[in-house]
Amino acid sequence: MSTPTDEDSPVEALPWRTLTTGDSARAESEPVEVRRVVLQVIGAALAVLVLVGAVGVVVVRSMAEREALNDASHLTDQLARAVVMPALEDALIDGDAAARQRLDVVVRERVLSNDFVRVKIWSPDGVVLYSDETALIGETFPLGEEQRAVLAVPATVAEVSDLAPQENRLERDQGRLVEVYRPVWTPTGKPLLFETYTDYGTVTDRTVNLWRGFGGTMISTLLLFVVLMTPLLWALLDRLRRARVSRELLLQHAIDASQDERRRIAADLHDGVVQELVAASLLVSGATERASARGDGEQAAHLRSAASAVRASVASLRTLLVDIYPPNLTSAGLAVALEDLGAGLRGRGIEVIVDVDPDAPTHLDEQRQRLVYRTTQECLRNILKHSGAGRAEVSLHAEGALVVLEVADDGAGVSQAALDGTATQGHFGLRLLADLASEHGATLRVSTAPARGTRWRLEITP
């Protein structure tokens, strides 16, 4: 049989659909790969490390900032009590230059340092009475709500400075700063607002120091966890591997036992019932000839009918033997085995044409030849049970680098439910056939439509 053209088969013009095995079946058939599992564990550990590290950075930075604000607050309190208030004079409120000059000497000698970058003293109405940056002295800016609250209820407040307001324009080139303010009093008890600005770098330094301790502890803990988990993981993988090997051995033993039993049943039928029926057929045929020789036409007709029935039974049993236990593909050959399958349908009234390219089987090993045989067998069974076809064609040929099996019929076609694996009880398990092809690295396709027949196509890479 040559490969059909569009004129030969109405199915050929229909699109092909590839049948694939289910994800769960593939997952069950895939062995556990130790390398993949180990890589997944290492990846999970790294992901946890990154996640904990990211959270740790946020937590450590918050802790470092809180500690830096507390330190700046305490230091500003000490400077206010021990240095600034003893140097304050009531004349500073009146803008006395001498009083301001004497305060400036104290601030520059005992307050300003690598940490403190700016000092301001405000009046309650927002006038800058003193600053180490002389350009700010005398300017007026509205005090914020928190600053007014500090003057009303004495407290020390530390926060990361907002450099956007105009009063902080001269600090913007300093980068981020920590701002601390609290009330101070002149010798006569008049309240003023004392404000300091500290370099934010102290927060960064504290973050680094805290992170060294936290990060070292975290990393060592994770590494210890991985080290402790490695033997358990290895034991689990070894157990899974041994269980998989055990399942495969049990499956192979079950298959071998099934093959042995099928072989025994086939041998018993062939050597017992089939041989006895063949002998009975010969006896009946001899009796028919003797009846004809005596001129007893009626008895000869009955005996001839009985002989025909016995021969039909022998043919049916031989077809059953092929179904129960297929021929040895290595010794009998794939072409002979496919022809035997076709003969089984011919005995049931379906015309079957089998065309095998002599070179095609030579490209296939024994496992793939058995795949071709099983696929053909299942397709022909499906044709016999469900299609109502009167004609079927089986073709095995080479197409480039592929060996292609095609089984076509002119029957009723395959329903969408059957293709999706949801057919009613008794229908052919198409997904099982797809699984069988997938296990051997082959691709199974189908082209079908209602009342337009079905064409199966198995593509095998040798």
Side-chain angles (χ1 to χ4, degrees):
M1 180 189 73
S2 59
T3 303
T5 62
D6 290 349
E7 291 76 12
D8 296 328
S9 172
V11 181
E12 186 70 20
L14 297 173
W16 290 100
R17 169 173 173 172
T18 301
L19 296 183
T20 57
T21 182
D23 293 339
S24 60
R26 281 198 301 270
E28 291 175 359
S29 64
E30 291 179 356
V32 177
E33 296 182 6
V34 175
R35 178 181 299 178
R36 183 179 62 184
V37 174
V38 171
L39 290 177
Q40 287 176 345
V41 171
I42 294 176
L46 291 176
V48 171
L49 183 63
V50 171
L51 178 61
V52 173
V55 174
V57 167
V58 175
V59 172
V60 167
R61 190 171 189 85
S62 176
M63 293 173 56
E65 186 172 283
R66 186 166 58 250
E67 289 189 6
L69 292 177
N70 287 336
D71 287 350
S73 177
H74 293 320
L75 185 55
T76 299
D77 268 343
Q78 293 175 1
L79 290 174
R81 292 190 181 96
V83 177
V84 174
M85 282 198 293
L88 286 179
E89 301 178 23
D90 289 296
L92 181 65
I93 300 175
D94 300 328
D96 182 72
R100 186 169 56 249
Q101 181 62 35
R102 287 188 291 271
L103 177 62
D104 185 64
V105 171
V106 173
V107 168
R108 293 186 183 278
E109 289 181 355
R110 302 179 60 183
V111 177
L112 292 180
S113 64
N114 293 331
D115 293 333
F116 288 94
V117 298
R118 181 75 70 240
V119 172
K120 299 177 185 176
I121 296 179
W122 302 70
S123 68
D125 53 0
V127 178
V128 180
L129 300 177
Y130 168 80
S131 174
D132 60 284
E133 177 56 61
T134 56
L136 295 174
I137 296 174
E139 292 193 16
T140 301
F141 304 98
L143 293 179
E145 182 177 348
E146 292 184 353
Q147 293 169 321
R148 293 194 300 272
V150 163
L151 290 174
V153 180
T156 301
V157 176
E159 60 186 18
V160 177
S161 181
D162 178 10
L163 300 179
Q166 185 65 19
E167 72 235 34
N168 294 327
R169 67 184 186 278
L170 298 180
E171 289 83 54
R172 292 170 186 167
D173 60 345
Q174 303 287 338
R176 301 189 71 186
L177 299 174
V178 174
E179 178 181 354
V180 183
Y181 45 88
R182 58 150 293 166
V184 290
W185 293 268
T186 64
T188 60
K190 295 179 179 178
L192 301 176
L193 185 68
F194 175 54
E195 188 175 36
T196 63
Y197 292 80
T198 308
D199 186 2
Y200 193 83
T202 56
V203 177
T204 303
D205 294 339
R206 285 182 176 274
T207 302
V208 172
N209 293 333
L210 288 173
W211 177 250
R212 285 174 181 171
F214 175 77
T217 303
M218 179 191 66
I219 294 174
S220 60
T221 302
L222 284 177
L223 289 177
L224 180 61
F225 175 76
V226 171
V227 169
L228 293 177
M229 285 296 296
T230 298
L232 297 177
L233 178 64
W234 191 264
L236 177 61
L237 292 175
D238 183 65
R239 181 176 297 181
L240 290 175
R241 180 188 59 80
R242 286 188 280 109
R244 177 174 58 83
V245 172
S246 178
R247 286 197 304 270
E248 291 176 351
L249 289 175
L250 290 175
L251 178 60
Q252 187 61 48
H253 290 160
I255 292 174
D256 292 342
S258 175
Q259 293 290 343
D260 291 341
E261 184 65 15
R262 291 161 72 95
R263 186 186 298 111
R264 186 190 64 78
I265 294 173
D268 289 345
L269 287 174
H270 182 271
D271 297 336
V273 177
V274 172
Q275 297 302 324
E276 292 173 1
L277 287 175
V278 169
S281 175
L282 293 175
L283 290 174
V284 174
S285 296
T288 302
E289 293 177 0
R290 288 192 296 273
S292 296
R294 293 194 307 266
D296 191 349
E298 182 178 358
Q299 186 178 13
H302 287 304
L303 291 172
R304 193 175 295 109
S305 176
S308 177
V310 173
R311 285 193 296 272
S313 296
V314 170
S316 296
L317 282 173
R318 284 175 172 166
T319 299
L320 179 61
L321 289 178
V322 173
D323 288 341
I324 292 177
Y325 188 73
N328 190 321
L329 300 179
T330 303
S331 59
L334 183 58
V336 174
L338 296 182
E339 185 62 39
D340 286 344
L341 289 176
L345 263 68
R346 294 190 193 102
R348 293 171 171 83
I350 300 175
E351 179 186 359
V352 180
I353 300 175
V354 179
D355 181 32
V356 177
D357 182 351
D359 293 334
T362 63
H363 299 296
L364 302 176
D365 57 22
E366 184 176 352
Q367 291 295 327
R368 287 177 171 79
Q369 287 192 25
R370 189 168 293 277
L371 170 64
V372 170
Y373 180 86
R374 292 299 186 195
T375 303
T376 305
Q377 183 182 49
E378 296 297 347
C379 289
L380 293 180
R381 283 177 179 172
N382 202 49
I383 291 172
L384 179 63
K385 291 181 180 179
H386 308 297
S387 72
R391 185 171 184 269
E393 300 172 343
V394 179
S395 169
L396 183 67
H397 57 278
E399 285 188 12
L402 299 176
V403 175
V404 178
L405 169 71
E406 291 191 359
V407 181
D409 68 75
D410 60 356
V414 180
S415 68
Q416 186 66 36
L419 293 177
D420 292 336
T422 59
T424 57
Q425 183 67 26
H427 276 265
F428 169 64
L430 299 179
R431 290 203 175 274
L432 295 179
L433 192 58
D435 289 345
L436 183 64
S438 178
E439 288 174 3
H440 291 81
T443 301
L444 181 64
R445 306 180 191 276
V446 62
S447 178
T448 186
R452 296 184 64 183
T454 303
R455 179 175 301 281
W456 298 97
R457 179 182 174 89
L458 179 69
E459 300 173 352
I460 306 172
T461 303

